[in-house]
Amino acid sequence: GCMMLQVDFLPKSLGTLIAVSYGLIDSRTFGQESDSNNQHRHALILSANKVAFSASLLNETDTYTGPFAILTTLVFKHVVTNIGDAYNPQTGVFTAPLRGAYHFQWCISSYEDETTAAVLVKNDQQVFSAWEYRGFFTTMNDDMGVSSASNGASLLLEEGDAVSLRLFPLCVIFDYGLHISSFSGHLLFPM
């Protein structure tokens, strides 16, 4: 989609800077256009790169995922937003459609005395993790309900970079109908 940006109120130099930045005017040939083309600077059409997703782990039923013997990509299946279709709900992988700064956040939950831990991964490189460790420190007097951990990161991604959330070995993640385990991300701005 496109959005219209009115630039009548902007000085010509700033309007030109915006147009060159968004690739609407070729900086190599700028200044060679006719006066009639210059009149169009009052209504520049800027293509907006819109990328955002939000998903929870499970669609409907109360359940655990894990434990697994190895680091395992979590597939967040209940997608509520997937603008730009950059998140794949079959694989759990977000693929950057363009170079830019992106922000990701996640919340992982556990139930009873289970430990949950997951790490944000960019192209097989671990970035940040979130942990909720219950088993060893839990006593008979502790409330044994749902617990959670969360984290977030802003990353510079190149087109085609892959980002996912992976469950650590021997950990579990819990989700149910209220969708308490989630993974989200969006483009902050193109670079």
Side-chain angles (χ1 to χ4, degrees):
C2 291
M3 68 178 170
M4 185 69 88
L5 175 65
Q6 295 296 101
V7 293
D8 322 25
F9 61 93
L10 296 176
K12 183 176 181 182
S13 60
L14 183 56
T16 302
L17 176 63
I18 291 170
V20 169
S21 297
Y22 280 88
L24 299 172
I25 296 175
D26 187 341
S27 59
R28 295 168 294 176
T29 60
F30 178 73
Q32 299 173 10
E33 336 47 54
S34 68
D35 285 338
S36 64
N37 285 340
N38 281 331
Q39 292 173 1
H40 294 292
R41 75 177 178 85
H42 297 290
L44 296 175
I45 298 174
L46 304 177
S47 72
N49 297 302
K50 298 179 178 95
V51 181
F53 79 94
S54 241
S56 67
L57 191 63
L58 301 173
N59 281 323
E60 307 255 340
T61 58
D62 300 4
T63 191
Y64 286 97
T65 300
F68 303 105
I70 60 171
L71 199 64
T72 303
T73 300
L74 290 166
V75 179
F76 291 80
K77 297 173 186 160
H78 180 74
V79 178
V80 294
T81 302
N82 197 6
I83 299 166
D85 293 321
Y87 175 73
N88 184 331
Q90 276 70 50
T91 64
V93 176
F94 171 87
T95 304
L98 67 144
R99 184 175 195 269
Y102 292 81
H103 183 74
F104 298 91
Q105 57 195 42
W106 63 98
C107 180
I108 55 174
S109 300
S110 64
Y111 188 71
E112 299 283 326
D113 62 348
E114 300 291 345
T115 295
T116 190
V119 61
L120 186 71
V121 175
K122 172 190 168 187
N123 297 332
D124 294 322
Q125 173 189 1
Q126 295 183 15
V127 181
F128 292 144
S129 15
W131 293 78
E132 177 60 30
Y133 188 76
R134 298 281 300 265
F136 184 75
F137 297 106
T138 302
T139 68
M140 295 302 284
N141 295 327
D142 285 344
D143 178 15
M144 298 298 282
V146 175
S147 59
S148 63
S150 61
N151 208 339
S154 294
L155 303 174
L156 174 60
L157 300 180
E158 299 296 328
E159 181 178 343
D161 280 350
V163 176
S164 61
L165 197 62
R166 296 186 186 170
L167 188 67
F168 276 101
L170 306 179
C171 292
V172 298
I173 184 170
F174 177 74
D175 200 9
Y176 70 114
L178 292 178
H179 309 292
I180 58 176
S181 291
S182 61
F183 182 36
S184 300
H186 62 274
L187 174 67
L188 295 169
F189 47 86
M191 298 283 292

